Amino acid sequence: MNEVKIFCPATVANLSCGFDIIGLCLEGIGDEMVFRKKELPGVTITQITGADLPYETAKNVAGVAAQALVDHLQLDYGFEIEIHKKIKVGSGIGSSAASAAGAVYGINLLAGNPLTKKELVPFAMIGEAIASGSLHADNVAPALLGGFSLIRGYEPLDLINIESPSELYVVVIHPHIEVKTSEARAVLPEEVPLKSAITQWGNVAGLIAGLYTENYELIGRSVVDVIVEPARKNLIPHFEELKQSALQNGALNSGISGSGPSIFALCKGSQIANIVKNTFNKSGKEFYTSFDVHCSKVNNTGVIII
Amino acid sequence: MNEVKIFCPATVANLSCGFDIIGLCLEGIGDEMVFRKKELPGVTITQITGADLPYETAKNVAGVAAQALVDHLQLDYGFEIEIHKKIKVGSGIGSSAASAAGAVYGINLLAGNPLTKKELVPFAMIGEAIASGSLHADNVAPALLGGFSLIRGYEPLDLINIESPSELYVVVIHPHIEVKTSEARAVLPEEVPLKSAITQWGNVAGLIAGLYTENYELIGRSVVDVIVEPARKNLIPHFEELKQSALQNGALNSGISGSGPSIFALCKGSQIANIVKNTFNKSGKEFYTSFDVHCSKVNNTGVIII
């Protein structure tokens, strides 16, 4: 194989109670990337559409991730990469993670699949870090593996992939406003009450139990964030109104996607998901100059060849 | 049925990362209780062996739990209860919880089983609260239901029962020293660093995932408490040496049982469990004037008729 085209999906990280440790993969929304082997060593980005991103390999998320993997595999040939962004930069649904995950997946394919998807995660993390400023896996892991990714810890990386219950849908509204990462970080408390931390780890435990037992109501009761959401929600105008409208229309629960500004709602079944989608569309028109709404199942596959 | 004899097992609560939310049930160690219907209404404690506990119903954990259930069921007859304590009071393996769980189980049996074991939990909690000073379920729930109990939250009580992987053993050493509940509470931090809280909820999530997937190594990596154990371990002389000896001898992990002084070690398989048991026995002789060591599988049944 000398050329391959792939689809790398968007993701929702910081899943409420699972702040910093749980992300999920979206279906039907993602970037496309094309990879070509070339004789000369090195990684060259030959085309970028859909976003204004650097072509220089060392400054591009996909370039850095690809180069990290190429270095590891000690390949004596090189690659050309085309990046066709469909996920808006700064949307809070893993735009840079999709590029990083796609890059390592594409390179690995053309190199004859020496690594598993799970083994690719650390290289994607290196790429994504140049956009997010820190090494984290709760977007790149679900983008690669699909379903839910639990990152138990980082020293060393301990990643558990959990398949999504089949009727679990995600509705995401992306208001076209900017939430600065620095500001989203600045509002995080350095210390939290032990009582709140216990509530949060009870909810995290409930969410994991709900996923394994396909207990949608338990998932809904558990996707509650008593620590980060209260600190960050004021950075997203109309967050609370949108969340409440999702709940009133039957969503299992709702919260901030990544560090915002996107807001997600989890729903059981397509019927409720569509109602919540319509609600988000209606509210979006009222609240924002510009926005997108996405609605799909959780994607249990992750990045794929197209 | 007018008379029944039951066995109500000991339990390990505050399971490291699962402080306040996860407990497990032990096999082969527990109290025995006998219940007899009587014509006159009311609950009478007729015999207590193995511990110096009050006979007055309103001051006895079993009496209070039993009365709470009798009141709820609006029974027009009464009960006599014999309590034969085998679990030492103040050991940190759910002595009062066993009495409370046993009481509601026995009464419910003689009343014709109107409630499920899960429905009995709140009544057992009421009994146990007079010993522990607060309503909590992470001892009474596993004593009733067996396996692991996850208490997601209390408003309302949200209890998830998780069956133990079949090869999971628990070794417990109970040094005969007193850890005052008031002191164990006083050393708890009111606030914790967000970073530690995230580590803890990653571990809790890993533990739940490990239980559902029977991944013993993941369970071992996850049963780590970065918040409460560092604060409480100095209340138990030689805690760190015992923990390290368990780890060096192959235990999956080790921590404080309840609020101490008992120390538990989780092990995969009887062979390793027996080695850890021997290690605890050897160290116990060196460190303490008096102690007990218990070794068994996790008990997936909970309270039973004998």
Side-chain angles (χ1 to χ4, degrees):
Chain A
M1 195 195 288
N2 286 311
E3 179 172 332
V4 69
K5 188 174 182 182
I6 65 160
F7 172 81
C8 28
T11 46
V12 173
N14 288 340
L15 201 73
S16 289
C17 56
F19 177 76
D20 243 20
I21 66 158
I22 300 175
L24 63 80
C25 188
L26 295 173
E27 202 166 83
I29 180 169
D31 297 342
E32 289 173 16
M33 297 173 83
V34 179
F35 298 81
R36 280 179 211 93
K37 266 193 203 172
K38 63 184 178 80
E39 275 188 31
L40 284 179
V43 174
T44 314
I45 294 161
T46 55
Q47 201 186 349
I48 300 174
T49 64
D52 184 21
L53 294 169
Y55 276 76
E56 196 182 325
T57 305
K59 291 186 178 166
N60 181 295
V61 163
V64 171
Q67 190 66 56
L69 182 59
V70 165
D71 292 348
H72 173 78
L73 296 175
Q74 299 185 297
L75 303 175
D76 58 0
Y77 49 90
F79 299 90
E80 290 176 357
I81 305 180
E82 288 177 22
I83 305 168
H84 304 287
K85 294 297 291 180
K86 310 280 166 111
I87 312 168
K88 291 197 176 71
V89 174
S91 52
I93 51 169
S95 179
S96 53
S99 297
V104 295
Y105 182 70
I107 300 290
N108 190 55
L109 278 173
L110 293 189
N113 260 323
L115 299 187
T116 64
K117 276 183 166 185
K118 207 167 175 177
E119 288 169 339
L120 291 173
V121 170
F123 302 99
M125 286 169 68
I126 293 169
E128 209 231 349
I130 69 159
S132 69
S134 67
L135 285 167
H136 67 110
D138 52 339
N139 284 115
V140 294
L144 278 162
L145 299 159
F148 284 76
S149 291
L150 159 62
I151 324 297
R152 189 197 61 81
Y154 285 94
E155 292 159 9
L157 180 66
D158 194 0
L159 166 63
I160 299 111
N161 187 234
I162 305 172
E163 200 174 325
S164 174
S166 59
E167 286 300 301
L168 198 59
Y169 282 72
V170 194
V171 188
V172 180
I173 179 165
H174 170 215
H176 297 169
I177 51 176
E178 191 189 358
V179 171
K180 284 193 180 133
T181 310
S182 56
E183 211 173 339
R185 278 197 198 140
V187 298
L188 288 180
E190 276 192 34
E191 300 244 315
V192 299
L194 176 58
K195 213 181 154 206
S196 305
I198 292 168
T199 300
Q200 193 94 342
W201 70 58
N203 283 328
V204 170
L207 170 57
I208 301 296
L211 291 175
Y212 279 108
T213 57
E214 306 214 359
N215 183 334
Y216 296 89
E217 288 66 33
L218 176 57
I219 293 169
R221 291 197 299 276
S222 302
V223 176
V224 173
D225 175 1
V226 298
I227 290 177
V228 175
E229 185 178 297
R232 282 187 168 170
K233 67 180 183 181
N234 295 327
L235 301 175
I236 306 167
H238 305 289
F239 168 79
E240 200 56 53
E241 288 143 288
L242 283 159
K243 175 175 177 155
Q244 291 310 323
S245 74
L247 293 175
Q248 279 155 23
N249 283 282
L252 295 168
N253 224 319
S254 170
I256 300 169
S257 176
S259 54
S262 284
I263 300 163
F264 75 85
L266 293 182
C267 303
K268 182 183 178 185
S270 61
Q271 209 179 342
I272 292 171
N274 274 311
I275 295 170
V276 172
K277 178 186 161 188
N278 293 338
T279 306
F280 275 2
N281 266 314
K282 204 178 149 204
S283 301
K285 280 175 198 159
E286 193 185 329
F287 296 149
Y288 308 115
T289 317
S290 177
F291 67 97
D292 301 305
V293 175
H294 168 78
C295 174
S296 73
K297 274 194 184 181
V298 178
N299 171 352
N300 270 324
T301 310
V303 57
I304 46 165
I305 302 173
I306 50 174
Chain B
M1 196 193 291
N2 288 310
E3 179 172 333
V4 68
K5 187 176 183 183
I6 65 161
F7 172 81
C8 27
T11 46
V12 173
N14 289 340
L15 201 73
S16 290
C17 56
F19 176 76
D20 243 20
I21 66 159
I22 299 175
L24 63 78
C25 187
L26 295 172
E27 203 166 82
I29 180 169
D31 297 342
E32 289 172 15
M33 297 173 82
V34 178
F35 298 82
R36 279 179 211 92
K37 265 192 205 175
K38 61 182 177 84
E39 274 188 31
L40 283 180
V43 173
T44 313
I45 295 162
T46 54
Q47 200 186 349
I48 300 175
T49 63
D52 184 21
L53 294 170
Y55 276 76
E56 195 183 324
T57 305
K59 290 186 179 168
N60 180 295
V61 163
V64 171
Q67 191 65 55
L69 181 60
V70 165
D71 291 348
H72 171 78
L73 296 175
Q74 299 185 296
L75 303 175
D76 58 359
Y77 49 91
F79 300 90
E80 290 177 358
I81 306 180
E82 288 177 22
I83 305 168
H84 303 287
K85 295 297 292 179
K86 312 279 166 117
I87 312 169
K88 291 197 177 71
V89 173
S91 53
I93 51 169
S95 178
S96 53
S99 298
V104 296
Y105 181 70
I107 300 291
N108 190 56
L109 277 173
L110 293 189
N113 258 324
L115 300 187
T116 64
K117 277 184 166 185
K118 205 166 176 176
E119 288 167 340
L120 292 173
V121 171
F123 303 100
M125 286 168 68
I126 293 169
E128 209 232 347
I130 70 159
S132 69
S134 66
L135 284 167
H136 68 111
D138 52 340
N139 283 114
V140 293
L144 279 162
L145 298 158
F148 284 78
S149 290
L150 159 62
I151 324 297
R152 190 196 61 80
Y154 285 93
E155 292 161 8
L157 180 66
D158 194 0
L159 165 62
I160 299 110
N161 187 233
I162 305 172
E163 201 174 325
S164 173
S166 58
E167 286 300 301
L168 199 58
Y169 282 72
V170 195
V171 188
V172 180
I173 179 166
H174 171 213
H176 297 168
I177 51 175
E178 190 188 359
V179 172
K180 284 195 180 130
T181 310
S182 56
E183 211 174 339
R185 278 199 198 138
V187 297
L188 289 181
E190 277 192 33
E191 301 243 313
V192 299
L194 176 59
K195 213 180 155 207
S196 304
I198 292 168
T199 300
Q200 194 93 341
W201 67 61
N203 283 330
V204 171
L207 170 57
I208 302 296
L211 292 175
Y212 279 109
T213 58
E214 306 214 359
N215 183 333
Y216 296 89
E217 288 67 33
L218 176 56
I219 292 169
R221 292 196 299 276
S222 302
V223 175
V224 173
D225 175 1
V226 298
I227 290 178
V228 175
E229 183 178 298
R232 282 188 169 171
K233 66 180 183 181
N234 294 327
L235 301 177
I236 306 167
H238 305 289
F239 168 80
E240 198 58 54
E241 288 144 288
L242 283 158
K243 175 175 176 154
Q244 291 310 322
S245 75
L247 293 175
Q248 278 156 23
N249 284 283
L252 295 167
N253 224 318
S254 171
I256 300 168
S257 176
S259 54
S262 284
I263 300 165
F264 74 86
L266 292 182
C267 303
K268 182 184 178 184
S270 61
Q271 208 179 343
I272 293 171
N274 274 312
I275 295 171
V276 173
K277 179 186 159 188
N278 293 339
T279 307
F280 275 1
N281 267 316
K282 204 178 148 202
S283 301
K285 280 175 201 162
E286 192 184 331
F287 297 148
Y288 308 116
T289 317
S290 176
F291 67 96
D292 301 305
V293 175
H294 168 79
C295 174
S296 73
K297 275 195 183 180
V298 178
N299 171 351
N300 271 323
T301 309
V303 59
I304 45 165
I305 301 174
I306 50 175

